[in-house]
Amino acid sequence: MRITSETVADGIREQLFTIGDIPGVLWTPAEGSGPRPLVLIGHGGGSHKKGWEVVSRAFPYVTSCGFAVAAIDAPGTGDRPEHPQIRRLVALIQEREAAGEPFGPAWPALNETVAAQLIPDWQTTLDALQKLDSVGDSRPVGYYGLSSAGEMGIRLVAAEPRITAAVLGLIGSDWLTGTAARITIPVEFLLQWDDEGNPRDSVMKLFDALGSAEKTLHANPGSHFRVPSFEIDSSIRFFARHLGSPGAASGF
Amino acid sequence: MRITSETVADGIREQLFTIGDIPGVLWTPAEGSGPRPLVLIGHGGGSHKKGWEVVSRAFPYVTSCGFAVAAIDAPGTGDRPEHPQIRRLVALIQEREAAGEPFGPAWPALNETVAAQLIPDWQTTLDALQKLDSVGDSRPVGYYGLSSAGEMGIRLVAAEPRITAAVLGLIGSDWLTGTAARITIPVEFLLQWDDEGNPRDSVMKLFDALGSAEKTLHANPGSHFRVPSFEIDSSIRFFARHLGSPGAASGF
């Protein structure tokens, strides 16, 4: 793991890093040291590790909860090189979308291709982060990801026992039902009531499939991208409840 | 309005009152004075104004938010006299339930009978409470009610413009769709995923019918009575967001 840059602003230390060819970012409280809970945040399709949907969660998790938060670029995004197969599949999907047609088999193929690289990358990243003094391996780990990052999250959480609480959702992929059933950790699952690409029945089917004893579905009106900001607050409470708080942190 | 008893414990002042033949209870912070947001809490079927589902919400609303909280006995419950027609309808429903049969027309009839008295009673109660120094008429009013109190809540909120935020749910009465459509205030709506008496589709249909721009559905696994305790915390956040906080209160 190589730290390529470090800056501090507004009480948050931001460290850009690479682990082999994985580019990532770690945010921790500027003050305080020692092990702390870690939240991994996945970014959505067409975004990257410092996309708004990542940063808008990461910053309050650090400042309100004292957590460490990490994000990495998915294959073919951010600081990663072009990925020809992913590029081809995305182009195919965009064509279909422009024509108002269903995405067809390119959509599950894209997800399979991304997952084949991203799930092991997340696990490699977690290995490396847990060796840092500012994270450690003694505190719980959470995952936050919606939409494409919800799809990847279901796969990652089912595969990775170190993750013990997750916020997921905005996804209704029917091929994930079996994977979702293997998840047993507490999950907060988001649904947008008027999501064009993810009909509410399909999202609820995935929620229903989750094997978790504690799972809670939050549904809000509006389209795919209009998750209300109070759901950020709710995710803070969810992670605070399940990951606990670091010794050094915040009156949260 | 007649205050019939007053006690203080754990930072909460409890005043039992009657307004005409309506028996009620008002909880306010023991310290502090002046107007404050008010939450009305409805009780479920077979319970009363001081039932556990009322008190478990009321106490944290007072201590965390500094709100005033009030509850009244529905017709035929608590300190109210027997109500022969309600008694007859409840007995009929219990017979059907014991026989494993659908409740039939006795169920809407019961709701109509209770509502015909309870909705005006809530409005009379609100009139009286807003004349008290410890509540006043300058601060917003919320309503919390699930199950039968969700049914009554939909009717009350649709009829009463002073109520500006509500937590409702655990009800799927199809005759309420039109009433729900008239509601435009923010609503947090609860659904129990395995509710025997309120199939999830019927509950979601009511959620869908709500005319509110801000409405959020929280669904959790389990039967009718197993609403998880973190939903109490969520309702605190919801009311704090929409009713604001009183000058005198709490670091919430």
Side-chain angles (χ1 to χ4, degrees), chain A residues 61-158:
Chain A
Y61 293 170
V62 173
T63 56
S64 295
C65 307
F67 294 161
V69 180
I72 60 175
D73 287 323
T77 75
D79 297 324
R80 287 199 163 191
E82 284 279 355
H83 188 299
Q85 193 189 351
I86 289 176
R87 195 184 185 177
R88 194 179 56 77
L89 288 165
V90 168
L92 209 60
I93 288 165
Q94 286 173 336
E95 263 173 48
R96 297 283 198 126
E97 195 172 24
E101 289 169 15
F103 295 170
W107 178 239
L110 174 64
N111 281 297
E112 282 302 326
T113 308
V114 172
Q117 185 171 341
L118 186 56
I119 306 308
D121 281 356
W122 267 126
Q123 294 183 298
T124 302
T125 302
L126 185 49
D127 293 343
L129 291 172
Q130 289 195 319
K131 292 196 181 93
L132 298 176
D133 289 342
S134 56
V135 177
D137 62 1
S138 63
R139 308 302 303 273
V141 179
Y143 176 89
Y144 183 106
L146 305 179
S147 192
S148 293
E151 162 105 25
M152 295 303 138
I154 289 173
R155 295 164 184 257
L156 174 61
V157 169

Side-chain angles (χ1 to χ4, degrees), chain A residues 193-194 200 204-205 207-208 212-221 228 230-231 233-234 237 241-242 252, chain B residues 193-194 200 204-205 207-208 212-221 228 230-231 233-234 237 241-242 252:
Chain A
W193 204 246
D194 310 295
R200 57 184 85 138
M204 283 191 275
K205 217 173 268 179
F207 171 73
D208 195 41
S212 313
E214 184 187 322
K215 54 182 180 179
T216 186
L217 178 77
H218 288 190
N220 294 288
F230 58 72
E231 290 295 352
D233 180 64
S234 179
R237 306 290 287 188
R241 197 161 77 239
H242 291 294
F252 192 84
Chain B
W193 204 244
D194 311 294
R200 58 184 84 136
M204 284 191 274
K205 216 173 269 180
F207 171 72
D208 195 41
S212 312
E214 183 187 323
K215 53 182 180 178
T216 187
L217 178 77
H218 288 190
N220 293 287
F230 57 75
E231 291 295 352
D233 181 63
S234 179
R237 307 289 288 189
R241 197 161 76 241
H242 292 294
F252 191 82

